[in-house]
């Protein structure tokens, strides 16, 4: 058959087949729904936690085993492992209709193999690596009986006091959207129903990352333009990437709890975006409408939530207790429940659970997949790519093999547990975790390593300082391992002060005073403030929480086996008073033109406007040169594109990768625009001395924004195009003009 004919047939057939298949599932869903009593429908909307809890324990007194057998539970969270999931599924199989359960879990950055925390991994700007770790997490979780992860968290967050900044992709809507796509695709694989795929859950819908003052569970208040421009795009990207589920959020948005928001869930998500999956509430977020002062009791809260489009109730028990009565009293239409049930059943069919409710629970597969050593190699690669080199005075890194003695100093030098960070499925399984110390030992270098803890992460004791100073004196160089503890970021871990805690910076100064060169490894799940280290250390690597292979990856970078290529996905402030500080600031009517003359300018009298380390910033052991920018046209119309061509050269001595970033500024618009907005990036690997010609194509979408009527479009006028290796290091500029339709 000639190729053309084959393609024509394929094109004609594909939609028909997929329509036929989806009709089959829809028909099967309808036929199950017809058999269901009102109580059985409510059961499908009810999700309970197993023995572990990931939120405040509820006071509901239920007999879960009995509820499973009588069809009162549609899904469980916090039950994992083939043995337990089988046992619990077997109880559900005793119910009248034998509708299989869904098992969900917070598989946030790995299951058995732990990968870098999501914010850290986002510093790789490496979409393939990000997709790969999500896929391994899905493989491991699905082999352990799970069907569903409550990830990715796609909340944009610009306030590092908020502990959950660690779970997302940082401050930028464009980068956040690309990473959302990579993560959803990684978790869901080729297609839901594969044994290596679990359902993704884009959370927390919406604006949870804007919690006022960085205090967890707080209100969010913003203009609709801000919502659409900054907070919604990663969610939209997740829908387009096929995310099977969404989770709503604890916060109010402009006064309305997100869980009760028809605007968010019905108008936008299920309406305009045509999302055909289901929405799970966050943990008791239905019940929390009462303390919010939005509902007088749990019954009214359930009414608000179901009307607004929250399909499944996680842990509040409000649906179970009240939906039946609300239907009987005519306060809600049963059709609302039917729609929610259908959405949930559809996913159960797509996962193949009606054919075999135990298909994800196979003992041998669990054993094989969880012991697959290839996963460690993927973890090491992702960890190395996530590390950001913040400073490297006189190329002190990579480390010389000629050093006779290196002192590892600091409370995080030998820690295993902290390397995992927060939101880990097996936080006590630390035996295989590689600490910094282990990673250095594993290399079998001729250098002798010595260790002194110096002080704890928190607390006020300086009793270990003397030993640390003595160790530094014996060494040619010090590796100073410092930061937060792994559990200081994550849910309910807001901090009013994001300095490195305890006496660690004092310890640093004491060690530095010995005159020995100091390479600092700063660890945390959020941007931290560390003035003395930033100013006085010879080199600084920000290493986040890198997971199981942390120490090996850090050693790879310290010794130059991997040339650091990470770039910050979020700004690091100089002072707490600057927060929120993000790269996409406005010019204002009184921009600072000369930092020495800030009188009557938009500035602080006691601090710079600029962050300590900017969004997109990160050094390499080599250097890159940007040159020869050319635009194929300088003026263009809305239906045209502009192609920008330029050369990137590796001008240093080592092979390396550069994240080339494209920013734009719409200089005059009907709504004042930020002076820089990320609109594209490419991660490019170059050997020493090598050059490549690169291109960015600018289209209407890249220039569009929401005007004051929430119309998304590009407006005619001049745009400044900026290309560089960081938001504060623009190397190439070009003005182009959109002339009209
Ligand atoms: C509350 C958290 O906000 C959410 O992200 C998580 O998925 C659920 N608890 C379940 O653990």
């Amino acid at each position: 058959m000639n190729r053309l004919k084959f393609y024509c047939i394929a094109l004609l057939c594909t939609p028909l087949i997929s329509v036929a298949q989806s009709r089959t599932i829809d028909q099967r869903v309808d036929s199950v729904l017809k058999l269901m009593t009102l109580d059985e429908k409510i059961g499908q909307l009810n999700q309970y936690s197993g023995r572990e809890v990931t939120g405040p324990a509820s006071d509901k007194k239920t007999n879960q085993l009995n509820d499973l057998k009588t069809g009162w539970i549609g899904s469980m969270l916090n039950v994992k492992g083939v043995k337990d999931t089988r046992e619990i599924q077997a109880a559900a199989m005793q119910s009248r209709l034998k509708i299989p359960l869904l098992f969900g879990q917070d598989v946030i950055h790995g299951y058995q193999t732990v990968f870098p925390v999501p914010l850290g991994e986002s510093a790789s700007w490496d979409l393939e690596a990000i997709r790969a770790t999500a896929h391994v997490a899905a493989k491991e979780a699905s082999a352990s009986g799970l069907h569903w992860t409550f990830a990715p968290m796609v909340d944009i967050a610009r306030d590092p006091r908020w502990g959950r900044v660690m779970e997302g992709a940082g401050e930028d809507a464009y980068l956040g959207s690309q990473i959302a796509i990579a993560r959803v695709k990684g978790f869901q694989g080729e297609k839901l129903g594969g044994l290596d795929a679990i359902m993704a859950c884009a959370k927390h819908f919406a604006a949870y990352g804007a919690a006022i003052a960085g205090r967890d569970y707080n209100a969010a208040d913003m203009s609709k333009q801000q919502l659409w421009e900054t907070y919604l795009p990663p969610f939209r990207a997740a829908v387009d990437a096929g995310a099977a589920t969404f989770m709503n959020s604890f916060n109010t948005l402009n006064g309305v709890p997100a869980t009760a928001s028809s605007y968010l869930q019905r108008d936008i998500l299920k309406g305009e975006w045509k999302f055909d999956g289901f929405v799970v509430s966050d943990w008791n977020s239905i019940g929390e409408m009462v303390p919010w002062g939005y509902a007088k009791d749990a019954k009214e809260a359930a009414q608000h939530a179901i009307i607004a489009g929250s399909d499944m109730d996680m842990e509040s028990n409000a649906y179970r207790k009240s939906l039946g009565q609300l239907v009987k009293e005519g306060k809600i239409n049963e059709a609302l429940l039917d729609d929610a049930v259908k959405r949930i059943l559809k996913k159960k069919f797509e996962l193949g659970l009606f054919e075999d409710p135990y298909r994800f629970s196979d003992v041998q597969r669990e054993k094989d997949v969880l012991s697959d050593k290839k996963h460690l190699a993927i973890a090491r690669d992702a960890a190395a790519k996530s590390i950001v080199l913040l400073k490297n005075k006189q190329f002190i890194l990579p480390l010389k093999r000629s050093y006779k003695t290196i002192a590892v100093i600091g409370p995080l030098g030998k820690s295993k547990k902290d390397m995992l960070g927060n939101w880990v499925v097996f936080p006590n399984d630390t035996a295989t975790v590689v600490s910094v110390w282990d990673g250095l030992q594993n290399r079998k270098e001729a250098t002798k390593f010595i260790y002194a803890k110096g002080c704890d992460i928190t607390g006020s004791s300086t009793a270990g300082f003397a030993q640390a100073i003595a160790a530094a004196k014996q060494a040619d160089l010090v590796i100073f391992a410092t930061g937060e503890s792994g559990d200081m970021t994550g849910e309910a871990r807001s901090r009013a002060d994001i300095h490195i805690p305890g006496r660690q910076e004092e310890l640093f100064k004491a060690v530095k005073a010995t005159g020995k060169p100091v390479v600092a490894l700063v660890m945390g799940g959020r941007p931290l403030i560390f003035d003395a280290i930033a100013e006085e250390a010879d080199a600084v690597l920000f290493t986040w929480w890198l997971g199981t292979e942390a120490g090996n990856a850090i050693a790879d970078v310290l010794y130059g086996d991997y040339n650091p290529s990470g770039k910050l996905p979020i700004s690091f402030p100089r002072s707490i008073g600057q927060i929120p500080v993000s790269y996409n600031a406005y010019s204002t009517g009184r921009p600072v033109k000369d930092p020495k003359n800030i009188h009557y300018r938009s500035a602080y009298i006691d601090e710079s406007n600029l962050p300590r380390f900017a969004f997109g910033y990160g050094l390499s052991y080599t250097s890159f040169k940007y040159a020869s920018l050319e635009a194929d046209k300088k003026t263009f119309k809305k239906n045209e594109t502009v192609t920008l061509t330029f050369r990137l050269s590796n001008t240093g001595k080592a092979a390396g990768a550069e994240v080339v970033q494209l920013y734009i500024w719409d200089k005059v618009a009907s709504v004042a625009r930020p002076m820089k907005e990320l609109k594209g990036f490419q991660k490019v690997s170059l050997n020493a001395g090598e050059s490549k010609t690169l291109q960015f194509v600018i289209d209407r979408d890249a220039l569009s924004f929401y005007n004051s009527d929430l119309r998304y479009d590009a407006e005619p006028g001049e745009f400044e195009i900026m290309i560089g290796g960081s938001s504060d290091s623009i190397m190439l500029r070009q003005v182009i003009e959109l002339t009209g339709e």
Side-chain angles (χ1 to χ4, degrees):
M1 181 185 327
N2 78 33
R3 264 179 128 183
L4 186 64
K5 204 163 153 201
F6 174 77
Y7 279 129
C8 294
I9 292 173
L11 280 173
L12 280 173
C13 292
T14 314
L16 295 178
I17 292 167
S18 56
V19 168
Q21 276 169 348
S22 67
R23 280 192 59 199
T24 313
I25 287 192
D26 287 345
Q27 285 168 347
R28 292 167 79 191
V29 166
D30 284 340
S31 60
V32 176
L33 189 75
K34 279 198 193 106
L35 303 173
M36 295 173 81
T37 63
L38 180 60
D39 285 353
E40 281 165 338
K41 290 179 188 172
I42 297 168
Q44 284 306 301
L45 312 186
N46 190 30
Q47 186 189 52
Y48 284 161
S49 180
R51 264 171 248 127
E52 291 165 26
V53 289
T54 45
S58 76
D59 52 6
K60 67 178 169 356
K61 298 203 173 33
T62 51
N63 176 341
Q64 279 194 2
L65 191 63
N66 193 54
D67 288 349
L68 288 163
K69 292 182 185 165
T70 47
W72 273 111
I73 305 181
S75 168
M76 295 286 300
L77 76 150
N78 296 331
V79 177
K80 58 183 181 296
V82 164
K83 185 172 161 287
D84 287 6
T85 51
R86 262 193 177 267
E87 212 172 285
I88 289 176
Q89 193 68 286
M93 287 303 109
Q94 293 179 43
S95 63
R96 188 179 77 92
L97 290 176
K98 301 191 188 347
I99 298 177
L101 292 171
L102 286 174
F103 292 108
Q105 178 88 31
D106 291 284
V107 182
I108 306 295
H109 52 115
Y111 184 73
Q112 172 103 0
T113 311
V114 181
F115 301 107
V117 292
L119 183 64
E121 195 183 59
S122 303
S124 71
W125 298 53
D126 187 323
L127 302 174
E128 254 327 295
I130 291 172
R131 184 173 165 144
T133 63
H135 194 55
V136 171
K139 269 191 194 163
E140 292 187 356
S142 67
S144 229
L146 295 175
H147 311 130
W148 182 17
T149 175
F150 304 127
M153 185 187 102
V154 303
D155 295 308
I156 296 302
R158 295 177 173 174
D159 193 328
R161 293 172 297 181
W162 191 51
R164 304 200 78 169
V165 73
M166 172 280 268
E167 292 173 54
E171 73 183 36
D172 183 65
Y174 179 85
L175 177 63
S177 301
Q178 300 305 309
I179 291 177
I181 296 168
R183 290 193 167 131
V184 167
K185 292 196 166 163
F187 287 130
Q188 297 194 167
E190 288 291 301
K191 186 169 175 273
L192 229 49
L195 285 179
D196 59 351
I198 55 178
M199 293 195 292
C201 180
K203 71 186 189 185
H204 306 82
F205 197 59
Y208 184 36
I212 294 172
R215 184 157 55 78
D216 209 359
Y217 315 122
N218 206 355
D221 208 284
M222 66 180 70
S223 69
K224 282 200 173 158
Q225 275 153 284
Q226 176 77 300
L227 176 72
W228 280 88
E229 183 168 312
T230 305
Y231 292 89
L232 293 184
F235 287 102
R236 175 63 201 253
V239 172
D240 293 345
T245 72
F246 261 52
M247 184 186 289
N248 56 36
S249 54
F250 292 123
N251 56 287
T252 52
L253 173 60
N254 303 336
V256 178
T259 310
S261 172
S262 294
Y263 175 64
L264 287 173
Q265 297 171 107
R266 290 226 182 265
D267 301 352
I268 299 176
L269 179 61
K270 294 177 178 176
E272 190 173 333
W273 296 352
K274 300 190 172 42
F275 170 67
D276 74 345
F278 69 86
V279 180
V280 64
S281 80
D282 202 345
W283 183 286
N284 191 33
S285 65
I286 299 178
E288 288 176 14
M289 281 184 216
V290 178
W292 263 120
Y294 189 80
K296 70 174 183 298
D297 54 23
K299 183 174 170 193
E300 197 176 280
Q303 183 180 353
H304 285 309
I306 193 80
I307 289 174
S310 301
D311 300 307
M312 186 182 278
D313 172 4
M314 182 192 284
E315 268 292 304
S316 86
N317 218 24
Y319 275 9
R320 175 178 178 177
K321 275 207 200 129
S322 312
L323 286 184
Q325 245 181 316
L326 287 165
V327 170
K328 281 172 201 146
E329 289 167 6
K331 290 198 172 130
I332 56 169
N333 194 324
E334 193 171 341
L336 285 179
L337 273 66
D338 289 351
D339 177 58
V341 173
K342 280 181 7 185
R343 288 169 177 271
I344 293 164
L345 292 181
K346 189 166 177 194
K347 294 301 158 201
K348 294 185 175 183
F349 272 110
E350 285 174 15
L351 286 161
L353 295 174
F354 277 95
E355 277 78 31
D356 176 4
Y358 305 103
R359 62 192 296 263
F360 292 87
S361 298
D362 172 330
V363 182
Q364 191 55 47
R365 198 164 70 89
E366 182 177 47
K367 246 195 193 152
D368 295 346
V369 175
L370 296 194
S371 60
D372 189 338
K373 291 277 177 284
K374 289 195 292 297
H375 298 179
L376 293 178
I378 292 170
R380 185 168 179 164
D381 177 63
K385 286 176 171 161
S386 304
I387 295 171
V388 185
L389 178 64
L390 297 178
K391 182 176 182 185
N392 196 15
K393 229 168 86 190
Q394 287 159 358
F395 285 92
I396 188 124
L397 289 177
L399 293 177
K400 293 186 213 34
R401 298 212 149 79
S402 55
Y403 291 130
K404 288 207 171 60
T405 307
I406 290 182
V408 178
I409 295 177
L412 287 160
K414 280 196 174 177
S415 170
K416 287 174 180 281
K417 195 176 171 68
D418 292 297
M419 298 304 112
L420 299 178
N422 212 336
W423 271 129
V424 182
V425 184
F426 304 100
N428 300 319
D429 283 7
T430 53
T432 54
V433 178
V434 185
S435 68
V436 172
W437 178 256
D438 300 335
L440 292 168
Q441 299 297 322
N442 289 345
R443 298 182 60 86
K444 313 255 179 297
E445 298 288 336
T447 302
K448 180 178 166 202
F449 293 97
I450 54 176
Y451 175 70
K453 185 173 175 194
C455 64
D456 289 331
I457 294 172
T458 53
S460 56
S461 172
T462 53
F465 276 32
Q467 204 195 348
I469 292 164
K473 284 184 176 157
Q474 283 174 53
D476 302 310
L477 175 138
V478 173
I479 295 176
F480 189 75
T482 185
E484 301 183 310
S485 61
D487 61 3
M488 281 173 93
T489 47
E491 187 180 348
R493 301 291 199 279
S494 295
R495 290 181 68 195
D497 181 353
I498 57 166
H499 282 89
I500 291 184
R503 309 300 285 263
Q504 296 181 74
E505 281 220 273
E506 272 172 69
L507 175 66
F508 165 79
K509 284 185 201 158
V511 166
K512 182 67 192 158
T514 62
K516 298 298 168 80
V518 180
V519 173
L521 305 175
V522 186
M523 308 188 186
R526 54 152 65 84
L528 294 171
I529 299 178
F530 41 93
D531 298 330
I533 293 174
E535 279 154 26
E536 292 164 35
D538 296 272
V540 182
L541 289 165
F542 201 83
T543 70
W544 316 98
W545 302 121
L546 294 173
T548 312
E549 285 288 304
N552 284 334
I554 290 171
D556 288 342
V557 167
L558 285 171
Y559 277 95
D561 294 349
Y562 184 82
N563 182 356
S565 61
K567 303 271 186 175
L568 296 177
I570 185 165
S571 313
F572 278 42
R574 290 172 187 275
S575 304
I576 294 162
Q578 291 179 309
I579 296 172
V581 58
S582 60
Y583 79 93
N584 45 4
Y586 296 98
S587 162
T588 79
R590 297 187 179 190
V592 177
K593 292 185 180 146
D594 170 8
K596 287 194 210 86
N597 179 11
I598 56 163
H599 199 43
Y600 291 125
R601 295 275 141 197
S602 178
Y604 300 105
I605 57 170
D606 56 353
E607 183 57 281
S608 149
N609 283 0
L610 302 174
R612 169 77 68 180
F613 299 110
F615 173 83
Y617 173 79
L619 302 172
S620 164
Y621 295 155
T622 189
S623 49
F624 297 99
K625 189 177 149 216
Y626 291 71
S628 316
L629 176 63
E630 274 177 31
D632 68 342
K633 42 182 111 54
K634 306 256 162 62
T635 58
F636 63 106
K637 298 210 162 57
K638 273 188 188 168
N639 60 356
E640 295 177 325
T641 58
V642 178
T643 301
L644 297 158
T645 307
F646 58 101
R647 293 285 284 173
L648 180 74
S649 310
N650 180 340
T651 49
K653 295 199 178 78
E658 168 75 326
V659 179
V660 178
Q661 300 157 44
L662 169 79
Y663 297 91
I664 65 134
W665 180 20
D666 185 345
K667 298 176 89 169
V668 180
S670 65
V671 170
R673 306 300 304 149
M675 286 181 294
K676 270 179 208 137
E677 290 183 275
L678 183 74
K679 291 294 175 181
F681 64 88
Q682 302 174 32
K683 191 161 184 173
V684 185
S685 295
L686 291 175
N687 288 320
E690 193 187 356
S691 298
K692 271 187 191 157
T693 299
L694 303 174
Q695 288 191 328
F696 281 115
V697 177
I698 313 253
D699 61 8
R700 175 176 181 167
D701 188 52
L703 307 177
S704 294
F705 62 91
Y706 292 93
N707 71 9
S708 41
D709 301 323
L710 286 187
R711 213 171 80 85
Y712 183 73
D713 204 354
E715 291 178 358
E718 282 188 351
F719 294 83
E720 183 163 355
I721 308 294
M722 293 158 273
I723 296 173
S726 163
S727 65
D728 68 349
S729 170
I730 298 302
M731 297 301 183
L732 303 170
R733 288 174 196 270
Q734 173 72 53
V735 174
I736 57 176
E737 189 183 351
L738 178 64
T739 53
E741 287 305 319

